[in-house]
Amino acid sequence: MASGDRVTIRGGGIFGLACAYEMARRGARVRVIEPRAPGAGASGGTVGALAPHVPGEWSEKKRFQFDSLMQAEGFWAGVQAVSGQDPGYARLGRLQPVADERAAALAEKRGAAARACWGEAAVWQLREASDFPHVPVSPTGLVLFDSLSARIAPRRACAALAGAIVALGGTVVRDGPEDGAVLHATGWQGLEDLSRIFGRFIGHGEKGQSALLACAAPDAPQVYGNGVHVVPHADGTTAIGSTTERDYDDPESTDAQLDDLIARARALCPWLGDAPVIDRWASARPRSVTRGPLLGRFPGREGHFIANGGFKIGFGLAPKIAEVMADLILDGRDAIPEDFRFAENIPG
């Protein structure tokens, strides 16, 4: 496919928008079809934690994620420059409490693995909690700090991507005909559609709930501990997330599970104090059968492609996924890791 040809992207979540932006940036004429609004589903949440896999046991999949996290600063700076909208990106790192001597020893071991895998690009190291003004409760007085983790403001990021697509000559519409190659990035509903098409389980939606607190710590690293993410944003808010629910009746309702999550976050990070909750959010997120993204050609549909299954790491993987899907759709070059290939990873 030559640059300047047309591409239709079905789905206005992070995968669809990021791929559309990258292809528009390369000169393709893109149309995003999103029945609701950009980021209306799982990509319109509040948390925005971009964090790496644990270093060590290096693999093609971990390399892909590392490359994407390293590309993120340039990717989002480009989106902001084109759209004129701030996506809320900042690479400020992450803190995790260290429970005991065993955990400290494991952190040291993984720090050595990070040096081997990440080189000088980022660190994974033990630090004194007193080195940071906003820290989690830590029984040892130590925290694990990694400098690879970053934050994004999901709603602003989706709006900035949509704005960049339009600025580059593309369109974002609620409905319309398909034109040219078609990329299906349709979230959990798309995974269920694929399950019906292929007669086997390919994925479904798992619900997540999160909250936004009026608590300003704009320059603080994010925190992870006891299953809770605490992510300060630049606008004076701090996000708390998120639950993981396989069984639910309403994907967009919040309940006592979120109340418990907020309570755990306040216990983990006393600096949250009694900051008021200003937003409660819930949606189903696309979890594939492999737990990772499913990318590539749509079997049996010439000129159709799939990018789905971001689950909890969609924003972190988006820059690299946009690159490899643009390579495949525009240039016919397939650089998708084996673990992420759709045709090779759906059950037989």
Side-chain angles (χ1 to χ4, degrees):
M1 174 176 287
S3 177
D5 281 353
R6 299 178 183 272
V7 183
T8 301
I9 297 90
R10 288 200 169 274
I14 182 57
F15 281 4
L17 292 170
C19 291
Y21 163 72
E22 179 63 20
M23 287 188 281
R25 192 185 66 80
R26 297 189 191 188
R29 299 182 66 180
V30 303
R31 172 188 291 155
V32 178
I33 299 175
E34 169 51 56
R36 299 172 67 184
S43 297
T46 61
V47 181
L50 315 181
H53 288 296
V54 172
E57 299 180 4
W58 204 229
S59 64
E60 188 182 24
K61 181 162 52 175
K62 287 189 177 183
R63 164 61 71 177
F64 187 95
Q65 186 201 43
F66 173 79
D67 289 346
S68 190
L69 292 172
M70 291 301 298
Q71 288 174 214
E73 184 172 6
F75 178 88
W76 291 110
V79 171
Q80 182 169 353
V82 174
S83 69
Q85 301 179 58
D86 182 1
Y89 175 85
R91 183 177 157 188
L92 298 172
R94 175 181 58 173
L95 303 176
Q96 300 179 66
V98 177
D100 51 34
E101 291 183 2
R102 180 179 177 184
L106 182 58
E108 293 279 20
K109 180 179 178 181
R110 287 174 172 168
R115 290 190 292 275
C117 298
W118 299 350
E120 297 182 359
V123 299
W124 180 286
Q125 59 187 201
L126 280 176
R127 299 277 295 272
E128 295 287 340
S130 57
D131 291 346
F132 302 91
H134 295 85
V135 294
V137 171
S138 175
T140 60
L142 299 171
V143 291
L144 171 62
F145 172 71
D146 85 77
S147 65
L148 185 53
S149 292
R151 71 178 184 212
I152 196 79
R155 296 169 187 171
R156 284 192 284 154
C158 288
L161 280 167
I165 291 163
V166 173
L168 290 167
T171 57
V172 180
V173 297
R174 291 183 181 272
D175 198 6
E178 295 174 353
D179 193 7
V182 180
L183 174 62
H184 299 261
T186 45
W188 67 270
Q189 298 96 331
L191 290 177
E192 293 190 347
D193 288 342
L194 290 168
S195 296
R196 286 189 288 271
I197 290 168
F198 292 99
R200 64 203 71 167
F201 177 72
I202 292 174
H204 63 175
E206 289 196 6
K207 182 177 177 178
Q209 300 183 48
S210 68
L212 206 59
L213 276 60
C215 180
D219 299 320
Q222 63 188 264
V223 173
Y224 179 74
N226 194 25
V228 180
H229 290 276
V230 178
V231 184
H233 289 290
D235 63 356
T237 64
T238 296
I240 308 298
S242 58
T243 67
T244 300
E245 306 167 42
R246 294 188 178 184
D247 299 315
Y248 52 88
D249 295 321
D250 180 358
E252 297 187 352
S253 65
T254 61
D255 55 33
Q257 294 180 78
L258 181 55
D259 297 331
D260 175 69
L261 193 76
I262 295 167
R264 284 191 281 138
R266 294 191 197 274
L268 176 68
C269 295
W271 50 268
L272 292 171
D274 58 357
V277 177
I278 57 175
D279 190 9
R280 295 166 64 93
W281 174 91
S283 185
R285 298 165 295 188
R287 177 170 176 168
S288 76
V289 65
T290 68
R291 293 196 64 177
L294 296 174
L295 312 172
R297 299 183 185 275
F298 196 130
R301 293 193 186 183
E302 184 66 26
H304 287 241
F305 303 84
I306 294 168
N308 208 329
F311 196 36
K312 300 179 181 181
I313 58 174
F315 277 88
L317 293 179
K320 189 68 175 178
I321 284 176
E323 175 187 290
V324 299
M325 293 307 297
D327 286 346
L328 179 62
I329 295 171
L330 299 183
D331 302 325
R333 185 169 68 253
D334 189 344
I336 299 169
E338 196 70 26
D339 286 346
F340 296 161
R341 293 178 184 273
F342 179 83
E344 285 80 355
N345 286 286
I346 62 173

